[in-house]
Amino acid sequence: SAVISQKPSRDICQRGTSLTIQCQVDSQVTMMFWYRQQPGQSLTLIATANQGSEATYESGFVIDKFPISRPNLTFSTLTVSNMSPEDSSIYLCSVEMEGGYTFGSGTRLTVV
Amino acid sequence: QKEVEQDPGPLSVPEGAIVSLNCTYSNSAFQYFMWYRQYSRKGPELLMYTYSSGNKEDGRFTAQVDKSSKYISLFIRDSQPSDSATYLCAMNAGNMLTFGGGTRLMVKP
């Protein structure tokens, strides 16, 4: 299975600022997925990122709030923009490999 | 009604017990079924991945899928304190994964 490196692992940010989360995969993958896990909740898909095209966002998530870059087949970034305390969550990237979906270790974001 | 239902627990068992974790789903289009283990402050770790109805075994873990009943289970034999975590079922039709809410398991020494 793929190995995913995600950083930062955690951050505490001021409201109104932005944070960019990076996800690096050790093999080339067509699609990368970004999830949010709010405190005590399960995972919710934010968007699907394909290399060379615009990300596809799920209902309730918009590009202005969560811009995504996918410059090559092993790397993606998710930015959480103009943060508010409601954005405090764990953000995870994921890829599909043979035998299932692998997740990064997550970025624990606290907005104060 | 959620597409995937999972009892949140917590489920507390003594060490060595057999643990049964379950999910029900409503979307008959789901084709692939997964179980993840998530420790506190960590990302989900894939435990089992199944496609067809029936059982799949891997060490102490057995995944069971009953598509006719839209019901999946994960059994853990000889449970250990290190199994204490949240267990998430997930399933997909196409590329989108849908997760259950997770069951918190505590295995007491």
Side-chain angles (χ1 to χ4, degrees):
Chain A
S1 61
V3 175
I4 301 175
S5 300
Q6 188 174 338
K7 58 181 180 182
S9 59
R10 60 175 57 206
D11 208 341
I12 301 173
C13 300
Q14 297 291 324
R15 67 178 66 199
T17 63
S18 298
L19 175 71
T20 295
I21 302 166
Q22 299 180 7
C23 187
Q24 179 76 51
V25 189
D26 68 346
S27 56
Q28 294 183 337
V29 292
T30 304
M31 288 186 286
M32 296 179 73
F33 305 90
W34 287 97
Y35 285 83
R36 180 175 73 183
Q37 187 174 28
Q38 294 178 299
Q41 303 295 315
S42 191
L43 284 75
T44 301
L45 181 65
I46 298 172
T48 302
N50 290 326
Q51 192 267 335
S53 63
E54 291 271 335
T56 302
Y57 289 82
E58 297 301 312
S59 175
F61 299 97
V62 295
I63 187 171
D64 290 345
K65 177 66 176 178
F66 298 102
I68 288 171
S69 78
R70 183 78 203 276
N72 57 54
L73 291 173
T74 63
F75 187 79
S76 179
T77 67
L78 170 76
T79 298
V80 186
S81 302
N82 188 25
M83 289 183 284
S84 67
E86 291 70 35
D87 294 319
S88 297
S89 293
I90 300 173
Y91 293 86
L92 300 127
C93 64
S94 175
V95 299
E96 182 184 12
M97 304 297 291
E98 184 175 346
Y101 292 75
T102 300
F103 285 82
S105 56
T107 297
R108 180 177 291 270
L109 171 62
T110 302
V111 184
V112 297
Chain B
Q1 182 186 7
K2 295 180 181 178
E3 277 193 297
V4 181
E5 298 278 359
Q6 186 176 4
D7 188 329
L11 177 62
S12 182
V13 301
E15 183 176 356
I18 297 174
V19 175
S20 173
L21 304 166
N22 310 294
C23 287
T24 59
Y25 63 95
S26 56
N27 187 349
S28 57
F30 288 137
Q31 296 180 311
Y32 296 90
F33 304 89
M34 287 145 272
W35 284 96
Y36 287 87
R37 177 175 63 195
Q38 187 174 24
Y39 292 114
S40 180
R41 303 178 184 277
K42 299 289 186 182
E45 173 193 6
L46 181 64
L47 290 176
M48 300 291 283
Y49 177 74
T50 57
Y51 171 70
S52 57
S53 286
N55 294 348
K56 180 179 180 180
E57 187 174 320
D58 185 359
R60 295 186 296 113
F61 299 95
T62 299
Q64 189 174 78
V65 174
D66 183 347
K67 287 188 175 181
S68 63
S69 300
K70 296 188 179 67
Y71 187 89
I72 68 171
S73 299
L74 178 70
F75 299 96
I76 307 174
R77 290 183 298 281
D78 187 26
S79 56
Q80 303 295 310
S82 58
D83 294 327
S84 298
T86 296
Y87 289 78
L88 299 153
C89 65
M91 46 201 79
N92 70 331
N95 293 316
M96 183 173 175
L97 269 184
T98 301
F99 282 85
T103 299
R104 186 179 167 207
L105 171 67
M106 295 183 291
V107 181
K108 297 185 176 181

